[in-house]
Amino acid sequence: MKQFRVPIELQPNLLGQSVEMRFPTELKRVGDLSEAASDTVCFLENPKFLDAALEIPAGLLIVGTQFRGHDFPRANLLWTEHPYMTFVMLVRYWLKLEEQSIPAGISPNAIVHATAVLGADVRISDYVVIGENCRLGDRVVVDAHCVVMENSRIGDDSRLYPRVTLYPDTIVGARCILHSGVVIGADGFGFVPYQGRQEKIPQLGNVEIGDDVEIGANSAIDRSTFQTTRVGNGTKLDNLVQVGHNCVIGESSILCAQVGLAGGTTIGDRVYLGGQSGTAGHHVIGDDSLIGAQSGVLGDLEPGSRVLGSPASDAGLQKRIIIAGRMLPDLLPSLKKIIKKGE
Amino acid sequence: MKQFRVPIELQPNLLGQSVEMRFPTELKRVGDLSEAASDTVCFLENPKFLDAALEIPAGLLIVGTQFRGHDFPRANLLWTEHPYMTFVMLVRYWLKLEEQSIPAGISPNAIVHATAVLGADVRISDYVVIGENCRLGDRVVVDAHCVVMENSRIGDDSRLYPRVTLYPDTIVGARCILHSGVVIGADGFGFVPYQGRQEKIPQLGNVEIGDDVEIGANSAIDRSTFQTTRVGNGTKLDNLVQVGHNCVIGESSILCAQVGLAGGTTIGDRVYLGGQSGTAGHHVIGDDSLIGAQSGVLGDLEPGSRVLGSPASDAGLQKRIIIAGRMLPDLLPSLKKIIKKGE
Amino acid sequence: MKQFRVPIELQPNLLGQSVEMRFPTELKRVGDLSEAASDTVCFLENPKFLDAALEIPAGLLIVGTQFRGHDFPRANLLWTEHPYMTFVMLVRYWLKLEEQSIPAGISPNAIVHATAVLGADVRISDYVVIGENCRLGDRVVVDAHCVVMENSRIGDDSRLYPRVTLYPDTIVGARCILHSGVVIGADGFGFVPYQGRQEKIPQLGNVEIGDDVEIGANSAIDRSTFQTTRVGNGTKLDNLVQVGHNCVIGESSILCAQVGLAGGTTIGDRVYLGGQSGTAGHHVIGDDSLIGAQSGVLGDLEPGSRVLGSPASDAGLQKRIIIAGRMLPDLLPSLKKIIKKGE
């Protein structure tokens, strides 16, 4: 269970709501209901956990107004309409406080090029290498062993976990989180067969990541051939995701683990790509589309599409195909007999 | 062919068996039968290689008792019931000797936090960073460029190859092998849509890896939201495997390359997941199940299940579906004709 | 748009062709037609862009001889039969000039073992670690944070981008490009179940990469059990590709992103593996085969095969299976009725 290093101050004003205090407490931890104790913050939103919650001790139970009328005698209570969201916001606020308690500064074991421009209160850790003409915003955190190559920019409040590589000319927005092993801006995969050899097409563009983007461990986003591979504001990529060169991804989309976008894919806003799904190159996936896990998209998709399968087709049709396919082996002998009779 | 840097001592006692010496030898290498020479250790277990083995020179041929009666005139012989296993054990023993010949110590170019506790004979290589309150067991090897973040623990005799990242609070058992590029403990992929944005759910748990676990290059295991993502004793993960947050994997299971487990998957003991297969979230895969390559598991599986396909179904049924599906195109014109006639 | 740091000299002799100069220019950038300006190099090969090209300014327009007769009044012109290839060659030449303008040398923050042998004009960046008995050819570039373990060799003019790991005994040819996060030579995934445990089979071989090979970000190639895992000359691997132990890949093949080759796969020359496709172990894929995205190859393939699907079958058959499968749900009720009637 997460122990906060910084003492947690009860911050009812933060939430604009008041807390029903039954006993004094010093909140130290957060957890789920099974871990609740008199120094713990937890929440109740799902009615199926109501019985379990009635008797637990809790330093602070963030509880849905839908449960008004029930008594939670061993808990200090914060009533709210969105308990989970309130909990999330509170924890994020405390994590931020904790983060800020780590002093800013540049490790003596980091190499920052003389031409790099660093914002206020940046934290640059051991063995980091920051190249020529890079610009880091305020409060940027660059963990150990990151390599930020020349002309790259990182926006305010972004964090690079250990061992992230930004190739030259990469732009990362504000409040982004890049996890360990991420590689942004490696060459797109472009070759022309010429005289029996695969000749490399120089990859001259770059990558631009919007604000509030999170990118999972060991994911890779390639630079564009000429212009810019883009990931829009608020989009989240899980681990081991591959984004090919010249892709343009919209805002608030979700790419689950091991998704692969071939070069030149355009993804709209609020698109969901399930784990291990992929797209063939140069297609356009409309806003609000939902692509099932392990699907393979071979063409353009209208906004609001729901697809499954490899090759992907409409989710309803695909489910019917799967059900029909499962019946086929048992029907086949009879069908063959009928065909034979009919001849 | 592997050349041992340490002179190899013939160790019949190690194996509890005696060697038939035909000629004196100084064993220096191990190899397969095609590479055998008078200073080489090799083995014969598969009868199809018997003819090839009869005439080869071998410093030591580890040979199955099933081949008694055959002569191997140019080889020193060690008879055993499990030649491959005997060979494996012998080579592992020699590799361990070789490993131990490398002096322990901490590189002057490593940064070990003053509060970290290191066991006996640890070997910490160049540019390693070990954070606050970490604990390393005896004989742990941490290769160049690893980053072990605060409060992590590594058990006796484990080895981290170059460029491994352990996020805070990670626990790794004894005798584990983590290959280059592994990332353990990055944030689970958890977001709630709220007012049109994807709000990050803080990931407050950790990852715990049992004893004798091996994890392949560039694999990623995410920390749990609240509690602990677990990999059980003796389980082996190949390269580029993704284990989502809150997963619990049992003992002696095998996850082949590029497998992806969505968040909250529970995997039993001795489960085999073929390459590029995946599981949807929050399902339970029973002990001794076998999941074919590229399969997609969408539900719980009973112990001992054998499944194939995406979506996965019983392997026998899936094979019949595939065979029937391959017949369908040829049958279709006749079937349409019959339907038309019947109308 | 790519800005060259080195002034670009117009080099008509390089191409063995003369340029029609309409106005004096100092070429500084390259781009696609939409980015053309009076200091820009661009090209016209595809007739669908002809209209757009007629009016653009261009410092140098490399234009196909098929467009003779058209006027490009605002551009200096270089006529050629292969405009794209000429453009590619020109840009690569300029990139090479730019690269060579970066001074050679070894960072004072790199650790190079005393026994390592370095060619002329190598460039070894910050925090690189080069082990015992390694040999680097002339003009090799090793970027920040690479780890080259003992007995490895790198051929002339190869480049390792930041954070590449070569395990011991790895051989990399000339003119190779290894992108950030690549891991070459990690242990093959080999275990024998023995007395209820997965016993590790020592992986004693190595990896050998030919000349002119490019390997994408975070890809992994495992060492062989006894002998050598091989990647042939001119073969290109995209990001997050997995090559298992004992694989042998021929020349000029293409492995798209997230491809996985199980152990012991043999791939011929000029084979194309689409994204997220995979092969089961110990099969032989003939020269010039084409394996569709997300396919799963379960057997040997003749040279020139075209396959799709998981499990993969002939591409023509697979397309017919998919089309027939999509019709099946609508036909099923009628078919069931006919079967019932026939009973």
Side-chain angles (χ1 to χ4, degrees), chain A residues 27-318:
Chain A
L27 298 174
K28 286 192 191 144
R29 302 181 290 178
V30 297
D32 65 17
L33 287 169
S34 67
E35 301 168 301
S38 62
D39 61 356
T40 308
V41 182
C42 48
F43 69 94
L44 173 65
E45 173 149 343
N46 189 330
K48 80 175 173 186
F49 298 121
L50 172 61
D51 282 352
L54 290 172
E55 292 307 318
I56 59 159
L60 182 67
L61 179 65
I62 302 173
V63 56
T65 46
Q66 63 190 108
F67 303 112
R68 289 268 191 209
H70 293 279
D71 194 22
F72 301 88
R74 301 173 62 203
N76 295 314
L77 297 176
L78 175 62
W79 296 96
T80 165
E81 276 180 50
H82 301 286
Y84 189 27
M85 208 58 222
T86 302
F87 175 85
V88 161
M89 293 301 189
L90 200 59
V91 173
R92 279 167 44 176
Y93 179 81
W94 285 330
L95 287 173
K96 178 124 277 177
L97 286 183
E98 187 172 284
E99 175 93 22
Q100 286 165 358
S101 75
I102 305 173
I106 300 170
S107 161
N109 301 296
I111 297 174
V112 179
H113 196 279
T115 58
V117 178
L118 307 183
D121 298 323
V122 298
R123 204 168 87 220
I124 296 181
S125 207
D126 302 316
Y127 305 125
V128 164
V129 178
I130 300 199
E132 213 176 328
N133 291 320
C134 289
R135 297 177 71 96
L136 274 62
D138 297 342
R139 298 168 301 280
V140 164
V141 176
V142 183
D143 277 324
H145 288 265
C146 288
V147 180
V148 180
M149 296 175 85
E150 61 266 25
N151 304 315
S152 292
R153 280 187 276 157
I154 305 175
D156 294 347
D157 296 295
S158 284
R159 178 168 191 173
L160 277 58
Y161 277 92
R163 299 203 293 104
V164 167
T165 303
L166 305 187
Y167 276 59
D169 308 309
T170 297
I171 297 172
V172 173
R175 297 174 304 282
C176 288
I177 299 171
L178 276 56
H179 282 286
S180 187
V182 162
V183 177
I184 300 191
D187 287 349
F189 194 62
F191 302 90
V192 247
Y194 185 71
Q195 300 182 341
R197 294 163 48 91
Q198 299 288 352
E199 293 291 346
K200 180 177 177 67
I201 302 168
Q203 302 292 313
L204 305 166
N206 73 335
V207 177
E208 188 167 339
I209 307 289
D211 299 331
D212 300 297
V213 171
E214 181 159 348
I215 302 178
N218 288 339
S219 286
I221 303 177
D222 279 353
R223 66 176 49 234
S224 184
T225 311
F226 286 117
Q227 306 191 359
T228 298
T229 304
R230 290 178 191 283
V231 178
N233 296 336
T235 284
K236 315 294 184 184
L237 281 65
D238 199 353
N239 300 340
L240 294 161
V241 167
Q242 151 71 0
V243 177
H245 56 172
N246 309 328
C247 285
V248 177
I249 305 177
E251 303 196 355
S252 298
S253 287
I254 296 280
L255 282 71
C256 293
Q258 297 171 318
V259 160
L261 304 185
T265 302
T266 299
I267 303 275
D269 299 337
R270 297 170 306 280
V271 171
Y272 179 95
L273 287 130
Q276 299 181 332
S277 63
T279 62
H282 304 287
H283 295 300
V284 178
I285 312 297
D287 295 345
D288 301 294
S289 291
L290 199 153
I291 290 145
Q294 296 189 330
S295 298
V297 178
L298 301 184
D300 292 355
L301 293 182
E302 295 290 307
S305 297
R306 298 281 177 276
V307 299
L308 287 178
S310 174
S313 52
D314 172 77
L317 172 60
Q318 192 65 31

Side-chain angles (χ1 to χ4, degrees), chain A residues 109 111 127 145 163 165 167 181 199-201 204 218 222 227 240 242 258-260 277 295-296 310 320, chain C residues 30 32 34 84-85 88 92 109 126-127 145 161 163 179-180 214 218 237-239 258 276 294 330:
Chain A
N109 301 296
I111 297 174
Y127 305 125
H145 288 265
R163 299 203 293 104
T165 303
Y167 276 59
E199 293 291 346
K200 180 177 177 67
I201 302 168
L204 305 166
N218 288 339
D222 279 353
Q227 306 191 359
L240 294 161
Q242 151 71 0
Q258 297 171 318
V259 160
S277 63
S295 298
S310 174
R320 291 177 65 220
Chain C
V30 297
D32 66 17
S34 68
Y84 189 27
M85 207 59 222
V88 161
R92 279 168 43 176
N109 301 297
D126 301 318
Y127 304 125
H145 288 265
Y161 277 92
R163 298 203 294 105
H179 282 286
S180 187
E214 183 159 346
N218 287 339
L237 280 67
D238 200 351
N239 300 341
Q258 297 172 317
Q276 298 182 330
Q294 295 188 330
D330 283 346

Side-chain angles (χ1 to χ4, degrees), chain B residues 8 12 22 30 38 49 60 76-77 105 112 126 168 174 241 244 246 280 287 291 315 330 339:
Chain B
I8 300 174
R22 266 83 183 268
V30 297
S38 61
F49 298 121
L60 182 66
N76 297 314
L77 297 176
V112 179
D126 302 317
V241 168
N246 308 329
D287 295 343
I291 290 144
D330 285 344
I339 290 172

Side-chain angles (χ1 to χ4, degrees), chain B residues 24-343:
Chain B
T25 183
E26 195 182 337
L27 298 174
K28 287 191 188 142
R29 302 182 290 179
V30 297
D32 67 16
L33 288 169
S34 68
E35 300 170 302
S38 61
D39 61 355
T40 309
V41 182
C42 48
F43 70 95
L44 173 65
E45 174 150 341
N46 189 329
K48 81 175 172 185
F49 298 121
L50 173 61
D51 283 352
L54 290 173
E55 291 307 317
I56 59 157
L60 182 66
L61 179 64
I62 302 173
V63 56
T65 46
Q66 64 191 106
F67 302 112
R68 290 267 191 210
H70 293 281
D71 196 20
F72 302 87
R74 301 171 63 201
N76 297 314
L77 297 176
L78 175 63
W79 296 96
T80 166
E81 277 180 50
H82 301 289
Y84 189 27
M85 208 58 223
T86 304
F87 174 86
V88 160
M89 293 302 191
L90 201 58
V91 172
R92 279 167 44 176
Y93 180 80
W94 286 329
L95 287 173
K96 178 123 276 178
L97 286 182
E98 190 173 281
E99 174 94 20
Q100 287 167 357
S101 74
I102 305 173
I106 299 169
S107 162
N109 301 296
I111 296 174
V112 179
H113 196 278
T115 58
V117 178
L118 307 183
D121 298 322
V122 298
R123 206 169 85 221
I124 296 181
S125 208
D126 302 317
Y127 304 125
V128 165
V129 178
I130 300 200
E132 212 176 329
N133 290 320
C134 288
R135 299 177 70 96
L136 274 60
D138 297 340
R139 297 169 303 280
V140 164
V141 176
V142 183
D143 277 324
H145 288 264
C146 287
V147 180
V148 180
M149 296 175 86
E150 64 265 24
N151 304 316
S152 293
R153 281 187 274 155
I154 305 175
D156 294 345
D157 297 294
S158 283
R159 178 168 190 173
L160 276 58
Y161 277 91
R163 297 203 293 107
V164 166
T165 303
L166 305 187
Y167 276 60
D169 308 308
T170 298
I171 297 173
V172 173
R175 297 175 304 282
C176 289
I177 299 171
L178 275 56
H179 282 285
S180 188
V182 162
V183 177
I184 301 191
D187 286 349
F189 194 63
F191 302 90
V192 246
Y194 185 71
Q195 300 182 338
R197 294 163 46 92
Q198 299 290 350
E199 293 291 345
K200 181 176 176 68
I201 301 168
Q203 303 292 311
L204 304 165
N206 72 335
V207 178
E208 187 167 341
I209 307 289
D211 299 330
D212 301 296
V213 171
E214 182 160 346
I215 302 178
N218 288 338
S219 286
I221 302 177
D222 279 353
R223 69 176 47 235
S224 185
T225 310
F226 285 117
Q227 306 191 358
T228 298
T229 304
R230 292 178 189 284
V231 178
N233 297 334
T235 284
K236 315 294 182 182
L237 280 67
D238 200 353
N239 300 340
L240 293 161
V241 168
Q242 151 72 355
V243 177
H245 56 171
N246 308 329
C247 285
V248 177
I249 305 178
E251 303 197 354
S252 298
S253 287
I254 296 280
L255 282 71
C256 294
Q258 296 171 319
V259 160
L261 304 184
T265 302
T266 299
I267 302 275
D269 299 337
R270 298 170 305 280
V271 171
Y272 179 95
L273 286 131
Q276 298 181 331
S277 63
T279 63
H282 304 286
H283 295 300
V284 178
I285 312 296
D287 295 343
D288 301 294
S289 291
L290 199 153
I291 290 144
Q294 296 188 329
S295 297
V297 178
L298 300 185
D300 292 355
L301 293 182
E302 293 291 306
S305 296
R306 300 282 178 277
V307 300
L308 287 178
S310 173
S313 53
D314 172 78
L317 171 60
Q318 192 65 31
K319 283 176 190 168
R320 292 176 66 220
I321 292 170
I322 291 161
I323 292 167
R326 285 184 180 165
M327 290 176 180
L328 190 62
D330 285 344
L331 299 179
L332 210 59
S334 307
L335 292 175
K336 283 179 171 173
K337 216 180 289 173
I338 290 167
I339 290 172
K340 202 158 187 188
K341 226 194 299 180
E343 274 163 3

Side-chain angles (χ1 to χ4, degrees), chain C residues 48-75:
Chain C
K48 81 174 173 186
F49 298 121
L50 173 60
D51 283 352
L54 291 173
E55 291 308 317
I56 59 159
L60 182 66
L61 179 65
I62 303 174
V63 56
T65 46
Q66 63 191 107
F67 303 112
R68 289 268 190 210
H70 294 281
D71 195 22
F72 301 89
R74 301 173 62 203

